[in-house]
Amino acid sequence: MGSIKLIEADPYSVELDLAGTALLLIDMQRDFLEPGGFGEMLGNDVSVLRRTIEPCQSVLKAARATGLRVIHTREGHRADLTDAPLSKLQRGNLETGIGDDGPMGRILIRGERGHDIIPELAPNQDEPIIDKPGKGAFYETDLDLILKNGLIRTLIVCGVTTEVCVHTTVREANDRGYECVVLEDCVGSYFPEFQRMGIEMIKAQGGIFGWVSDSKKFLNTLGN
Ligand code: C5J
């Protein structure tokens, strides 16, 4: 590795120093992506998120083959819910919400089947998993420490959902001085208009939060 590669992106192409670049896969969990999970229980069509799985698999395979650092995140809580703010537990007046029994175990609780990452994108032993209680992957986690220790400055961002955990994380990363390249076909929203606007917002005003590219361009950059 240690090489500089150009990735085609919007609003303009950008150089990636591969030694300082990590792939960040955000919340590709059963609860969001599989039928019967929390996302579907909230009335969402999970098939629109499942479109991201194949491109994410290609990107993950290429990143591993190149030796890029790969980091996964999961949104969820302790079994006793002591790390979940009341606001998050109560908002929405849901009949079945975080911590309640669902078809894949207790919803968004660490260790439960629904909380885990989908098998198609299962982490390797050497890939850190960041368990986060919030939407942003930096909030109350050691992600920043792991990135700093790994001399990582650039994040290739994939995951769900575009306007919630992806956006929050990209904004947090941006404020901490990281460069983010979001792969459009590897991030998904249950709402088409949020997907479109979420992507637009990242690359607006000369790349106010970073760049937008896609899986094919990323694979071209890595020479796959
Ligand atoms: C949501 C997420 N949508 N991972 N979480 O609540 O975006």
Side-chain angles (χ1 to χ4, degrees):
M1 261 209 310
S3 58
I4 309 280
K5 300 268 193 179
L6 195 70
I7 184 165
E8 208 184 305
D10 286 328
Y12 53 90
S13 296
V14 57
E15 282 186 345
L16 297 180
D17 173 1
L18 295 186
T21 299
L23 171 64
L24 184 65
L25 288 152
I26 299 175
D27 299 3
M28 294 298 281
Q29 295 163 256
R30 289 195 169 105
D31 261 332
F32 297 121
L33 286 136
E34 288 193 353
F38 188 38
E40 192 176 78
M41 285 174 69
L42 291 173
N44 299 302
D45 172 10
V46 293
S47 70
V48 291
L49 294 199
R50 293 188 66 79
R51 280 195 219 120
T52 62
I53 297 174
E54 223 178 276
C56 279
Q57 282 180 304
S58 313
V59 163
L60 178 58
K61 193 171 163 209
R64 283 172 176 163
T66 308
L68 285 193
R69 163 69 84 178
V70 176
I71 300 172
H72 304 256
T73 76
R74 295 184 295 208
E75 179 179 352
H77 298 279
R78 292 167 176 264
D80 63 8
L81 293 173
T82 48
D83 60 349
L86 264 190
S87 57
K88 187 172 180 182
L89 295 175
Q90 291 179 344
R91 198 177 305 137
N93 293 323
L94 301 176
E95 218 162 88
T96 311
I98 295 168
D100 293 334
D101 285 323
M104 288 193 274
R106 290 181 68 204
I107 291 167
L108 288 188
I109 297 298
R110 294 175 191 161
E112 300 287 340
R113 183 176 158 77
H115 172 264
D116 211 357
I117 292 170
I118 56 170
E120 295 91 328
L121 297 169
N124 279 348
Q125 285 277 325
D126 61 342
E127 294 169 356
I129 303 174
I130 307 290
D131 277 318
K132 60 189 185 66
K135 305 304 183 196
F138 289 85
Y139 176 68
E140 297 292 345
T141 73
D142 55 4
L143 176 59
D144 197 36
L145 185 63
I146 290 173
L147 297 177
K148 287 209 165 84
N149 287 343
L151 304 178
I152 301 294
R153 287 205 54 241
T154 302
L155 299 173
I156 304 296
V157 181
C158 301
V160 299
T161 62
T162 306
E163 77 280 13
V164 185
C165 293
V166 170
H167 243 269
T168 307
T169 299
V170 166
R171 289 168 187 238
E172 287 180 331
N174 182 66
D175 282 346
R176 286 165 175 78
Y178 296 101
E179 305 284 23
C180 290
V181 181
V182 176
L183 304 185
E184 187 165 359
D185 54 336
C186 296
V187 296
S189 169
Y190 298 119
F191 309 100
E193 67 274 33
F194 291 171
Q195 171 75 6
R196 192 173 61 76
M197 290 314 297
I199 291 295
E200 287 296 324
M201 278 189 251
I202 287 161
K203 61 185 179 180
Q205 301 179 72
I208 197 147
F209 296 124
W211 288 267
V212 174
S213 187
D214 63 33
S215 61
K216 284 208 173 72
K217 290 170 183 162
F218 179 71
L219 298 186
N220 280 343
T221 294
L222 294 192
N224 286 85

